[in-house]
Amino acid sequence: MAVAGAIIGAAFGGWINDRFGRKISILVADFLFFVGATVMAVSPAPWMLIIGRILVGLGVGMASMTAPLYISEASPHRIRGALVSTNGLLITGGQFLSYLINLAFTQVHGTWRWMLGVAGIPALVQFVLMMSLPESPRWLYRKGKIDEARSILGKIYPDEEVEDEMQALNKSIEEEKAEEGSIGEGGMIEKLRKAWSNDVVRRGLYAGIAVQVAQQFVGINTVMYYSPTIIQFAGIASNQTALALSLVTSGLNAIGSIVSMCFVDRYGRRRLMIISMFGIICCLVVLAGVFYQASTTAPGISKIESAHFGANSTCSAYVQAPDASSWNCMTCLQKATDCAYCSNGDNRVSSTFTLERLIHYTTKYGIIL
């Protein structure tokens, strides 16, 4: 639901950016994110949690497209690329930091409420600090507020460079208006149709859309979002341990951002993108192969052998499952969330235990695992 909200937020964020400005768009995104985090933290039921996720998604969608745009338009051209790259670094670094914070909250009463609620603090801080920042000079110039744009550029550039920047801004906006004029008037559908018939616009759309779709379709976000769950599928039952091991994934993600910042100007965007996409695809193919191998080689679970240890020691999810005969150890890890291990007396995986029951049998009867 958060991703669905982000799709809607990104779509409406473009309209808000053009109509009300970059600053207003970021403030609205911060407000939605803060409200969504608060709603999730106090949710008494799943439906309210879902509403909070949607609100957070709306804020993420608006901010993800507005923040880099605002940075590029309101920063000196000498450090513009570095600042935009820094934005990406702070996103991946924030994911790493979030795993650290969640790891700390695993030992606190109301664990998940703190994990979700604390996300509203950065949004609140950014909202307050954003109030002191100016609007994008490019947006102001586009809206005819030339004096305001000049004043803001005077705070960004030395006095002797302001006039050159104003001329460059004017030239860029005039070219932009000329391109829009070639598309013509009409509704959104009509403008999209005419834009698609423009060779320059069409090639740009091909490249931009293909890159974004490819980045999502390789599945890297699934690995990032569910890395603790994936680690638990591998047999790590502890939530705390799974979160700690997830720091490796998020940490490498942040390191990758640092590497891109160091080499992007030297080797170019296209080459780095091809290299990173190739690496992602190779790693995901290996991950898929490992999961498939684990699933096909996992031993079956026998209802007879499970019952041998007594009904009260058998996994309740397995007992109540309509397709229990088709279960194996991978199924246990995926469906039986209150269980820890599968075991029987002759070292073949066959029966699922809660951790407490397993410890009891191990210490009392000396079962070999």
Side-chain angles (χ1 to χ4, degrees), residues 11-12 18 24 29 37 51 67 70 109-110 145 155 171 178 180 183 191 200 214 228 242 253 284 300 336 362:
F12 280 98
D18 291 337
I24 293 296
I51 292 176
Y70 177 82
H109 179 69
K145 301 178 180 180
K155 299 176 181 179
K171 181 181 178 181
E180 291 178 355
I183 296 175
K191 286 184 177 181
V200 176
N253 193 29
L284 286 173
T362 303

Side-chain angles (χ1 to χ4, degrees), residues 39 69 80 87 133 156 194 207-208 210 217 219 244 292 310 316 337 339 352 355:
V39 169
L69 180 64
R80 188 170 296 158
N87 178 67
L133 293 179
I156 299 175
K194 292 180 179 179
F217 272 35
Y292 177 77
S316 59
T337 57
C339 298
T352 320
L355 184 58

Side-chain angles (χ1 to χ4, degrees), residues 62-143:
M62 292 178 62
S64 62
M65 67 165 298
T66 307
L69 180 64
Y70 177 82
I71 293 171
S72 65
E73 293 179 350
S75 59
H77 58 77
R78 292 183 295 273
I79 59 172
R80 188 170 296 158
L83 289 178
V84 174
S85 299
T86 301
N87 178 67
L89 172 62
L90 292 177
I91 291 175
T92 55
Q95 292 174 342
F96 178 79
L97 183 61
S98 70
Y99 278 114
L100 280 177
I101 295 173
N102 289 346
L103 181 61
F105 281 133
T106 55
Q107 303 297 323
V108 178
H109 179 69
T111 303
W112 63 269
R113 294 187 185 275
W114 286 103
M115 291 180 180
L116 297 175
V118 76
I121 296 178
L124 179 62
V125 172
Q126 181 171 271
F127 183 91
V128 174
L129 296 179
M130 196 69 198
M131 298 294 290
S132 63
L133 293 179
E135 182 54 83
S136 162
R138 181 181 182 85
W139 182 83
L140 291 171
Y141 196 102
R142 181 68 188 266
K143 293 299 180 180

